[in-house]
Amino acid sequence: VMSILLHGDAAFAGQGVVYETFHLSDLPSYTTNGTIHVVVNNQIGFTTDPRMARSSPYPTDVARVVNAPIFHVNADDPEAVMYVCSVAAEWRNTFNKDVVVDLVCYRRRGHNEMDEPMFTQPLMYKQIHKQVPVLKKYADKLIADGTVTLQEFEEEIAKYDRICEEAYTRSKDNKILHIKHWLDSPWPGFFNADGEPKSMSCPPTGISEELLTHIGNVASSVPVEDFKIHSGLSRILKARSEMTKNRIVDWALAEYMAFGSVLKEGIHVRLSGQDVERGTF
Ligand SMILES: Cc1ncc(C[n+]2csc(CCOP(=O)(O)OP(=O)(O)O)c2C)c(N)n1
């Protein structure tokens, strides 16, 4: 058994649990006898640039507290990555201590299906769109030097696609799980006889539809005149205005309505932290 952890670069530097885990790594009752940490260092954390995310030069510097070896490797060079991974595995098997592989790469698309990185990192993403994907680059090289044939390459791709398709189909058979099954203590009084959470009472917080419509309209408008807005964003604003007109709300508009109604009561709202510039939280 060999423990392997996969991390994002921003998460590796920013999540306290990573630092805590490094300090557990060599304690007699907690050690895994060496974990290989693989950091997918795509040089961005959701929409946050490294200079806004951490104070150390490398995202992997947190591993220096235990003097773990850290290998920075160009992820566009699969053979270099394989080489570094074998060295890391050998190190771990010889010394039974943690080791880090920093895969220096880029993220072709957004952090998730809702994220458009051209809104927040347009220059970086113009460069990224010009990059030939590593799979194509490496396949072209292997085919050109006769290591594999085009047919062998295509068969491998089809094999992998099949694994993904089958897993996707299997994921749909999952039976519905009750929340109770996820909790490790009985929480008496919290659940009803069917295992569902009991409804809790809270003071009325409703506001008039007129006020909600007003907030929806403000949230669909551009605050500054003569402001050239990204076409993707104006589409979002237009959709938001349509929703307000049709008395529909999605999560983001509901969030605006919550903030807006609190503002209307004269209470300041301060959004702070990573990614708020795009209105994530
Ligand atoms: C405990 C916790 N803190 C903060 C967040 C908010 N958050 C979501 S994604 C993200 C950045 C993740 O960056 P990275 O690990 O580099 O992944 P990438 O965006 O490159 O996919 C943050 C801070 C979270 N989801 N969980």
Side-chain angles (χ1 to χ4, degrees):
V1 177
M2 183 169 74
S3 145
I4 301 177
L5 284 178
L6 198 60
H7 309 261
D9 55 322
F12 198 67
Q15 289 273 174
V17 69
V18 175
Y19 177 82
E20 292 165 15
T21 309
F22 271 108
H23 274 292
L24 290 170
S25 71
D26 214 16
L27 302 189
S29 311
Y30 293 91
T31 183
T32 59
N33 290 305
T35 294
I36 299 187
H37 299 265
V38 179
V39 179
V40 181
N41 178 4
N42 55 26
Q43 306 172 70
I44 188 166
F46 203 153
T47 63
T48 304
D49 292 323
R51 72 198 161 92
M52 294 298 186
R54 61 171 192 265
S55 302
S56 63
Y58 294 99
T60 48
D61 284 337
V62 61
R64 295 174 64 182
V65 288
V66 294
N67 282 330
I70 301 167
F71 298 102
H72 306 283
V73 59
N74 174 6
D76 251 16
D77 183 344
E79 288 176 16
V81 171
M82 287 309 294
Y83 178 75
V84 156
C85 287
S86 336
V87 175
E90 216 173 291
W91 160 278
R92 182 266 171 199
N93 282 353
T94 308
F95 300 106
N96 293 119
K97 289 192 189 286
D98 284 24
V99 50
V100 180
V101 176
D102 178 19
L103 294 177
V104 183
C105 58
Y106 57 86
R107 188 185 70 194
R108 187 161 292 276
R109 303 187 197 284
H111 171 80
N112 58 29
E113 58 279 37
M114 300 287 288
D115 182 32
E116 168 49 88
M118 280 299 277
F119 291 168
T120 46
Q121 272 82 13
L123 299 179
M124 182 185 193
Y125 273 80
K126 261 186 208 151
Q127 290 296 332
I128 287 176
H129 291 324
K130 284 190 217 149
Q131 305 297 317
V132 179
V134 61
L135 178 62
K136 171 151 179 41
K137 220 158 48 175
Y138 191 51
D140 286 351
K141 174 182 174 293
L142 293 183
I143 293 166
D145 68 20
T147 311
V148 297
T149 64
L150 178 63
Q151 194 195 344
E152 282 167 331
F153 167 68
E154 283 172 350
E155 277 167 13
E156 278 304 308
I157 297 294
K159 218 190 303 174
Y160 184 69
D161 277 351
R162 250 191 330 271
I163 293 173
C164 295
E165 285 299 333
E166 280 167 17
Y168 179 61
T169 313
R170 262 202 320 278
S171 73
K172 292 185 173 168
D173 313 328
N174 265 351
K175 303 286 171 283
I176 296 165
L177 292 167
H178 285 283
I179 298 173
K180 204 173 175 179
H181 300 163
W182 293 88
L183 296 173
D184 58 4
S185 62
W187 283 43
F190 190 77
F191 294 102
N192 62 24
D194 296 332
E196 295 301 325
K198 278 186 185 163
S199 61
M200 283 174 272
S201 62
C202 63
T205 55
I207 52 173
S208 72
E209 181 167 346
E210 195 190 340
L211 187 53
L212 287 173
T213 311
H214 168 73
I215 298 168
N217 288 335
V218 173
S220 323
S221 60
V222 184
V224 187
E225 272 176 40
D226 296 329
F227 184 77
K228 191 168 178 321
I229 188 165
H230 191 288
S231 61
L233 277 178
S234 53
R235 220 177 311 126
I236 291 174
L237 292 184
K238 194 154 167 274
R240 196 174 286 159
S241 147
E242 286 293 306
M243 278 193 289
T244 307
K245 207 162 64 198
N246 297 325
R247 306 174 80 226
I248 298 170
V249 283
D250 63 4
W251 287 106
L253 182 54
E255 202 174 50
Y256 269 106
M257 287 177 167
F259 293 146
S261 60
V262 173
L263 280 174
K264 274 286 189 192
E265 288 176 14
I267 299 166
H268 289 296
V269 177
R270 175 175 178 243
L271 300 185
S272 124
Q274 296 180 355
D275 312 312
V276 290
E277 65 181 321
R278 76 185 288 289
T280 301
F281 301 114

